[in-house]
Amino acid sequence: MKVVLIGVGQAGGKVTQSLAQFDYDMGFDAVRGALAVNTARADLQNLDIDTALIGQDRVKGHGVGGDNELGAQIMQENATEVLDELDGRITTEAEAIVVVAGLGGGTGSGGAPMLARELKRIYEKPVYVLGILPGRDEGGLYQANAGRSLKTAAREADSLLLVDNDAWRGSGDSVAAGFERVNDAISQRVGLLFASGEAVEGVGESVVDSSEIINTLRGGGIASIGYASAEASEDAGENVNTITSVTRKALLTSMSLPNAVKADSALLVVAGDPERLSRKGVERARRWVEDQTGSMEVRGGDFPLGSDKIASLIVLSGVERSERVDEFMKRAREAADSQGGTTDPDEFTNDKLDGLF
């Protein structure tokens, strides 16, 4: 799937650069443009991708200090400038636009949903938001920001692909190491998703193409992604159980939104050497995903990739009714209350989130 990436805020810019670098290193050529947008000049200086500094008249290049309402206002005021930067990058070849942001900060959490709205107004392509939830240890302001931003992003985007920062961090990681691990995990999983259908080596039996990704996410709401891999036997017949095993591991232990299994639709992509992939194994794993998710809309197929390993990539769409989302929204509500001021009783309830879709 050919995509254009737009990173908003500090985390959004870093993850966008990681995704673009992974795509380049793997030779997938799925990323057709990458731009980082921020209100803080310092956060753009170490990025190798193209950048755009906005809101200089309001914050003088110093960022919004975690104020996501200000971040949204600045994006609204500077939307034309950002769209001008994108002029020529979003061509007919691009099949989707992906806005990447950390949902806890100010520029990303406020600006990303606003930018998604403007992009949808102008382009007929799907506009997705790849949103990263703050970890439990990142402070109340970030929790409250993310609770508000999650709901707004889910409403404005065609789909919100959600990553829980705590899902892929190691227990002994420092903050910096934890962020690096999460960035690498996002790049690998989302990068492989974008590349699905682009046959790098060989021809698969039932290759996944971009339309299946788009159709899986068509229902909107919140989506999550998981991945697992294992060494493959040279005999495809011996890999039937391997495919099932890595699919179970991807769904049950490696999703970007843990403990959120029930879904409206799903996509299973099994990647590996075409000579080692078993169609029987892929179909058996697909049926297992149907049973686990309760969805009758589970697509499945191959991604031919020169490797000694077999990997399963799973995308779940429509997981906003999960206990994990309920748990986070409760945490965000408590964080907002602890900061004082007035809080809309419906602002952090999942019932209202559910009603958006």
Side-chain angles (χ1 to χ4, degrees), residues 150 222 257 319-333 348-351 353-354:
L150 184 156
I222 295 174
L257 195 64
V319 296
E320 58 273 358
R321 301 165 187 83
S322 68
E323 290 183 7
R324 187 70 168 196
V325 174
D326 283 339
E327 176 191 334
F328 178 79
M329 296 304 287
K330 180 180 178 182
R331 196 164 84 216
R333 170 67 181 271
F348 297 98
T349 58
N350 200 10
D351 288 343
L353 178 68
D354 188 38

Side-chain angles (χ1 to χ4, degrees), residues 68-125:
N68 65 350
E69 291 187 8
L70 179 57
Q73 290 169 12
I74 290 176
M75 182 61 75
Q76 186 174 28
E77 293 165 2
N78 292 266
T80 301
E81 179 184 338
V82 175
L83 293 171
D84 286 346
E85 289 285 342
L86 293 169
D87 190 34
R89 302 172 195 267
I90 304 176
T91 64
T92 54
E93 191 176 46
E95 295 166 287
I97 305 167
V98 183
V99 179
V100 186
L103 300 185
T107 303
S109 67
M114 187 64 64
L115 180 57
R117 177 194 296 178
E118 288 299 305
L119 289 166
K120 282 186 65 178
R121 186 175 62 84
I122 293 173
Y123 296 98
E124 294 184 356
K125 308 173 189 296

Side-chain angles (χ1 to χ4, degrees), residues 39 182 243 245 273 324:
T39 57
V182 171
I243 292 172
S245 176
D273 186 328
R324 187 70 168 196

Side-chain angles (χ1 to χ4, degrees), residues 269-291:
V269 181
V270 180
D273 186 328
E275 298 297 323
R276 303 185 185 198
L277 294 180
S278 162
R279 185 64 214 161
K280 178 181 177 181
V282 174
E283 181 55 26
R284 179 185 292 180
R286 191 194 66 78
R287 289 198 303 268
W288 179 83
V289 173
E290 278 187 349
D291 292 340

Side-chain angles (χ1 to χ4, degrees), residues 165-240:
N165 222 337
D166 289 329
W168 296 327
R169 287 170 66 176
S171 57
D173 283 344
S174 65
V175 173
F179 287 153
E180 185 175 352
R181 184 192 295 269
V182 171
N183 285 358
D184 289 344
I186 293 171
S187 299
Q188 182 185 51
R189 289 154 173 78
V190 179
L192 283 172
L193 176 64
F194 293 158
S196 295
E198 300 295 323
V200 177
E201 293 183 22
V203 179
E205 294 183 46
S206 179
V207 175
V208 171
D209 63 25
S210 57
S211 68
E212 291 176 276
I213 300 171
I214 292 170
N215 286 332
T216 300
L217 299 175
R218 191 179 300 280
I222 295 174
S224 63
I225 188 168
Y227 170 90
S229 65
E231 293 292 331
S233 169
E234 293 186 1
D235 182 354
E238 295 181 10
N239 289 325
V240 173

Side-chain angles (χ1 to χ4, degrees), residues 208 243 246-247 268-272 277 281-282 285 301-304 310-313:
V208 171
I243 292 172
V246 294
T247 300
L268 168 65
V269 181
V270 180
L277 294 180
V282 174
D302 310 343
F303 177 25
I310 284 177
S312 282
L313 183 76

